[in-house]
C-alpha cells in the first residue's frame, strides 16, 4: 500500500501542478481578452459619439439650408428642425456638452457650404451658455 500510495500521491500532485499551470495560462488569456474588450468598447463609444456629432452637424446644415430657402420664416420655425436636445431647456447640460464638441468641429472646419451651419452652431453655443447662466 505504501509504494502504491506514494506513486498515487506523486501522480495526483503532478496533475494538480499541470492543472494550476493551465489555469494560470487561461487566466492570463482571459485577462488579455477582457482588456481587449474594454479597448474595443471605448472605441465603439467614440465611434458612436462621432456619428452623433456628424448627425447633429448635418441638422445644423439642414437648418441653414432651410433658412436660405425660406427667408420669410422666423427663428422658431428654423429651430424646429433641430432635435429637442437643443431646444428643450431641461436638456441644457447635455446640449452644452454636445455644442462644445460641435463648436470645436465648426472652428476647425473650412469646407465650402458649411459656413452658415458653423455660424448657427456658434450662435446656439451662446444661447446654451446663456441658458446655463440664467
Amino acid at each position: 500500500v505504501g509504494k502504491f500510495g506514494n506513486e498515487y500521491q506523486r501522480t495526483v500532485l503532478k496533475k494538480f501542478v499541470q492543472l494550476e499551470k493551465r489555469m494560470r495560462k487561461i487566466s492570463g488569456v482571459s485577462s488579455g481578452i477582457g482588456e481587449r474588450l474594454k479597448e474595443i468598447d471605448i472605441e465603439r463609444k467614440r465611434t458612436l459619439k462621432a456619428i452623433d456629432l456628424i448627425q447633429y452637424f448635418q441638422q445644423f446644415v439642414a437648418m441653414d439650408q432651410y433658412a436660405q430657402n425660406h427667408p420669410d420664416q422666423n427663428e422658431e420655425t428654423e429651430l424646429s428642425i433641430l432635435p429637442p436636445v437643443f431646444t428643450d431647456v431641461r436638456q441644457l447640460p447635455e446640449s452644452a456638452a454636445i455644442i462644445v464638441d460641435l463648436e470645436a468641429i465648426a472652428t476647425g472646419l473650412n469646407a465650402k457650404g458649411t459656413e452658415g451651419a458653423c455660424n448657427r452652431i456658434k450662435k446656439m453655443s451662446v444661447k446654451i451658455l446663456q441658458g446655463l447662466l440664467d
Side-chain angles (χ1 to χ4, degrees):
V1 175
K3 187 176 182 182
F4 176 73
N6 287 338
E7 190 175 319
Y8 178 74
Q9 286 176 345
R10 280 192 294 267
T11 303
V12 169
L13 183 60
K14 185 177 177 183
K15 295 288 183 185
F16 272 118
V17 168
Q18 290 172 346
L19 180 62
E20 188 177 335
K21 285 180 183 178
R22 286 186 68 205
M23 287 174 59
R24 257 186 282 162
K25 182 178 178 182
I26 291 170
S27 176
V29 169
S30 64
S31 178
I33 290 171
E35 286 299 315
R36 183 66 184 128
L37 286 173
K38 190 186 304 183
E39 292 171 12
I40 289 169
D41 188 52
I42 290 169
E43 284 301 315
R44 182 188 62 81
K45 287 176 182 175
R46 273 192 207 137
T47 301
L48 291 175
K49 183 178 179 180
I51 289 168
D52 287 344
L53 288 172
I54 290 168
Q55 290 172 342
Y56 288 134
F57 190 85
Q58 287 173 333
Q59 289 168 324
F60 276 94
V61 170
M63 180 181 167
D64 186 59
Q65 290 172 346
Y66 179 83
Q68 289 176 11
N69 294 331
H70 302 89
D72 56 328
Q73 296 296 318
N74 60 20
E75 184 179 7
E76 190 175 312
T77 305
E78 293 173 14
L79 288 174
S80 68
I81 294 171
L82 295 177
V85 70
F86 294 110
T87 57
D88 183 355
V89 289
R90 295 171 296 190
Q91 296 185 46
L92 273 175
E94 184 181 350
S95 65
I98 294 168
I99 205 71
V100 165
D101 291 336
L102 282 175
E103 197 167 15
I105 291 169
T107 301
L109 192 61
N110 197 13
K112 186 178 178 186
T114 61
E115 301 88 355
C118 292
N119 288 333
R120 289 180 185 282
I121 289 169
K122 290 175 186 175
K123 287 178 187 176
M124 182 60 72
S125 179
V126 170
K127 265 186 177 179
I128 291 171
L129 178 62
Q130 188 62 46
L132 287 172
L133 294 175
D134 286 347

